[in-house]
């Protein structure tokens, strides 16, 4: 997957996110800033190279975990335009199905069945 094509907000706005992925995504992204601040503080305070390496590895691990979580989201293999095209295709299919249902509902056979069913529901 070429994740560079996709902006994070595009993915989140057009892709359904399951509860597990959502909580994982929030957890992974919330770990980046503290790790970044720890690294910056380590650099400012002039800590030893092994401490800087440890903080850098923690930040890199946070980025890797975020990328893994983003890769697991459905629809991330598409660009924003491709996502919009898929969405529009399904919207058109939905509209056609609604029109077909409306046409069938206007037929007398189905109206009689619906009237009988509504009479039974009222009792």
């Amino acid at each position: 997957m070429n994740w560079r094509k996709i902006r994070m907000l595009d993915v989140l706005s057009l892709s359904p996110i399951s509860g597990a992925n959502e909580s994982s995504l929030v957890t992974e992204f919330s770990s980046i800033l503290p790790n970044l601040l720890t690294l910056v503080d380590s650099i400012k305070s002039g800590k030893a190279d092994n401490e800087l390496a440890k903080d850098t590895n923690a930040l890199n691990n946070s980025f890797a975990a975020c990328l893994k979580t983003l890769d697991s989201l459905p629809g991330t293999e598409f660009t924003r335009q491709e996502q919009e095209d898929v969405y529009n295709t399904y919207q058109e299919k939905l509209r056609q199905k609604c029109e077909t249902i409306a046409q069938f509902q206007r037929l007398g056979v189905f109206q009689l069945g619906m009237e009988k069913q509504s009479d039974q529901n009222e009792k």
Side-chain angles (χ1 to χ4, degrees):
M1 180 191 100
N2 186 356
W3 59 270
R4 288 182 179 92
K5 287 189 200 175
I6 303 167
R7 292 189 342 230
M8 181 61 195
L9 292 176
D10 296 341
V11 172
L12 292 178
S13 67
L14 293 176
S15 297
I17 300 175
S18 66
N21 280 344
E22 183 177 8
S23 64
S24 177
L25 187 66
V26 170
T27 301
E28 300 305 337
F29 276 104
S30 65
S31 70
I32 289 177
L33 188 57
N35 286 334
L36 181 63
L37 292 175
T38 301
L39 179 61
V40 170
D41 288 341
S42 296
I43 292 170
K44 281 183 177 180
S45 64
K47 288 189 177 180
D49 287 343
N50 60 347
E51 289 292 323
L52 290 175
K54 180 183 145 196
D55 294 339
T56 302
N57 285 337
L59 182 61
N60 287 338
N61 290 338
S62 294
F63 281 124
C66 288
L67 287 175
K68 183 179 176 185
T69 303
L70 284 174
D71 286 343
S72 71
L73 292 174
T76 57
E77 67 272 12
F78 300 119
T79 64
R80 180 182 177 112
Q81 184 60 46
E82 289 170 332
Q83 289 177 0
E84 288 175 357
D85 291 345
V86 168
Y87 176 77
N88 291 334
T89 300
Y90 283 115
Q91 284 293 103
E92 180 60 24
K93 285 181 182 181
L94 176 63
R95 187 190 62 73
Q96 289 173 354
K97 287 180 181 183
C98 288
E99 286 178 4
T100 303
I101 290 171
Q103 287 174 352
F104 281 118
Q105 285 177 339
R106 287 191 288 268
L107 295 175
V109 173
F110 291 105
Q111 287 179 349
L112 291 175
M114 290 185 343
E115 288 172 4
K116 289 179 184 178
Q117 187 177 14
S118 65
D119 290 341
Q120 290 174 354
N121 290 340
E122 289 175 4
K123 292 179 181 179

